[in-house]
Amino acid sequence: AAKLDVIIDTCPANVGLDAILGCLKFGGTYVRVGIPHKEAQTVSTGLIPLIFTGKKIAGSIVSGSANTNAMLRLAASHNIACDVKVVPFTELTSTMDALSKGEAGGHFRYVMKWD
């Protein structure tokens, strides 16, 4: 709880904003990327916790598969890569423990994956 600076959420479902915001540090930012399924397009949270913790909620639309593919081709043509470690949600606690102890093993970007 209260350990992350930024959470980038691309999940198509609504998983409960209060629980997610609880993972952010004071002044942290939750970013919703893309539009979720119709049933998950509304969120609710209390304003008092946001105000007193300085947390922010932001959103970003993706530009579509044509632009995404062009960007990936450009990155590949210049040998640009990102060191990402994919971790199943079942390992979330142990991953967070390792990060808090400075045992990230050189990884700076973690992607949580549904099992």
Side-chain angles (χ1 to χ4, degrees), residues 27-69:
T29 303
Y30 165 80
V31 181
R32 172 69 211 172
V33 177
I35 300 172
H37 292 298
K38 188 173 184 175
E39 307 82 45
Q41 290 181 9
T42 302
V43 295
S44 175
T45 189
L47 291 176
I48 299 297
L50 286 177
I51 293 166
F52 283 105
T53 62
K55 294 177 184 175
K56 297 166 283 302
I57 299 174
S60 176
I61 188 71
V62 292
S63 65
S65 59
N67 285 341
T68 301
N69 287 330

